[in-house]
Amino acid sequence: MLTLDEFQSAVDESFVPLEIRAKHPQSFLGAISQVEVHGVTFTEVCGAPHSAERTAALIDRQPGHYYKVSLQLAGSGTVHQAGRTVQLSVGDLTIYDASRPYRLDFSEPYRLLVVQLPHDRMRLSSRATEQMTAVRFAAGEGLGRVVSPYLASLGEHFAELRGPAGATLARNAVDLLSTLLATHLESSERQVGPRRELFERACEAIDAELGDSTLTPSRIAERVFISVRHLHCLFSEQGETVTSYLRHRRLERCYQDLLDANASELSIAAIGTRWGFKDAAHFSRSFKAAYGESPSEVRRGLATRAQAKPLPQWSTARAA
């Protein structure tokens, strides 16, 4: 278990810098366990009552262009951001933005799973996502009944995230979260529903032909029965471009194959070609720019090298 000072250091290393204030500093105990997969971190945190604040000064010192999704696994918690406050019970989800000030309050011993991902991994515009920070997604309502158990199961099986299927599991988690937020946005703003549906259809058309190196915006537009101009407008509304989305999804598939034991006999160049990259050098440059590691480094398993200490057993009785 970690003391308050140790917990503060672990939080700063695992997330972005925060100011931790404990109700009883001398007797505080907490623990953190983290896995990083495919540019997304999954962190299980437990601790005695405290608050954690992301101040404007900390943001100026070390900006963090991340969204954090918090799933309450035990106890309760409160999130404050953008003038909104949300109370979380077991199974509830919320999202907050590390590039803007926020505060977390835990008045009792707690345990939670935090999924941290770069802004550009969400298939939503930053303006749309701002409307959903510090909003409660209940475990027993709508898509929360699907997303919450899935994330909770990942928190209980970090070994699987570190294994060959980790990239697929992480991608599924991000896709589920994007769908949850998009569905919430559409239900609260019905007028954007048809355009969002067109955008999703365009994304599905792209995903269906990722391996075709000749895929163009013109052909994608034909698949969705809209003009090329309309297609570009749909993606622009989501803070995205057609070509960047296409490249991003191709790189994701390559990343997945590089960590897949069943694809181990394929050369790195063959994997790039398989997902639409005609030039091996261009593929390698694009991959490293996106993930900070070369395809060969990922294949050696360096993307899952973050091996945190196992999370100790934590109970409300012990924490008290």
Side-chain angles (χ1 to χ4, degrees):
M1 303 299 292
L2 304 175
T3 65
L4 182 60
D5 288 343
E6 292 169 337
F7 187 79
Q8 174 74 75
S9 297
V11 165
D12 290 348
E13 284 186 23
S14 302
F15 302 112
V16 289
L18 301 171
E19 288 185 0
I20 308 295
R21 298 184 183 89
K23 186 175 181 180
H24 301 292
Q26 299 305 317
S27 60
F28 177 90
L29 289 175
I32 293 179
S33 180
Q34 185 176 82
V35 178
E36 180 178 355
V37 185
H38 206 353
V40 179
T41 60
F42 297 82
T43 310
E44 191 167 6
V45 187
C46 62
H50 72 272
S51 66
E53 186 171 7
R54 177 82 165 146
T55 65
L58 288 175
I59 293 170
D60 289 340
R61 193 174 76 200
Q62 187 173 332
H65 303 291
Y66 301 98
Y67 291 122
K68 297 170 76 174
V69 178
S70 183
L71 168 64
Q72 199 74 31
L73 297 174
S76 63
T78 306
V79 179
H80 312 264
Q81 187 170 62
R84 292 187 290 270
T85 298
V86 60
Q87 179 79 31
L88 301 180
S89 299
V90 174
D92 292 343
L93 289 162
T94 194
I95 183 171
Y96 42 103
D97 187 348
S99 68
R100 303 163 64 199
Y102 65 83
R103 190 178 83 249
L104 313 176
D105 291 321
F106 304 99
S107 60
E108 62 180 340
Y110 72 93
R111 186 165 63 94
L112 53 83
L113 177 72
V114 179
V115 182
Q116 180 172 280
L117 63 161
H119 282 170
D120 61 8
R121 295 297 293 275
M122 284 290 190
R123 290 197 330 215
L124 289 170
S125 67
S126 58
R127 183 173 59 184
T129 309
E130 283 174 6
Q131 300 176 37
M132 290 174 285
T133 57
V135 170
R136 174 174 169 265
F137 296 92
E141 299 176 9
L143 285 178
R145 290 174 292 190
V146 176
V147 181
S148 178
Y150 181 79
L151 293 181
S153 69
L154 294 182
E156 297 296 330
H157 299 92
F158 271 10
E160 298 301 325
L161 282 169
R162 293 187 177 106
T168 300
L169 295 172
R171 179 166 55 83
N172 290 343
V174 174
D175 286 345
L176 280 172
L177 288 169
S178 295
T179 302
L180 175 68
L181 296 178
T183 302
H184 176 81
L185 183 64
E186 289 177 11
S187 65
S188 60
E189 298 183 12
R190 291 293 181 184
Q191 67 272 23
V192 304
R195 295 186 68 79
R196 179 68 195 184
E197 182 181 354
L198 270 179
F199 173 72
E200 292 291 347
R201 284 171 53 197
C203 290
E204 290 171 2
I206 291 172
D207 289 350
E209 300 187 57
L210 285 177
D212 188 346
S213 62
T214 66
L215 186 61
T216 62
S218 176
R219 206 161 86 215
I220 297 165
E222 288 178 5
R223 296 285 190 272
V224 192
F225 304 104
I226 58 176
S227 68
V228 175
R229 182 175 178 276
H230 193 178
L231 178 72
H232 285 302
C233 285
L234 289 173
F235 277 79
S236 179
E237 289 170 1
Q238 304 300 325
E240 183 79 86
T241 67
V242 178
T243 53
S244 66
Y245 177 82
L246 176 58
R247 180 177 62 254
H248 172 69
R249 296 298 275 183
R250 281 174 168 163
L251 289 171
E252 281 195 332
R253 292 298 192 275
C254 291
Y255 195 112
Q256 183 179 344
D257 279 359
L258 289 166
L259 295 179
D260 186 353
N262 293 324
S264 60
E265 295 184 1
L266 289 175
S267 68
I268 289 174
I271 287 175
T273 302
R274 182 183 194 179
W275 294 112
F277 290 97
K278 293 185 290 187
D279 181 81
H282 171 66
F283 164 52
S284 184
R285 287 194 301 269
S286 298
F287 191 96
K288 186 158 189 176
Y291 300 117
E293 295 178 299
S294 69
S296 58
E297 288 172 328
V298 170
R299 170 156 269 182
R300 288 196 297 268
L302 297 185
T304 55
R305 66 184 175 275
Q307 300 292 327
K309 294 181 180 179
L311 188 69
Q313 292 297 315
W314 182 269
S315 68
T316 309
R318 180 175 182 179

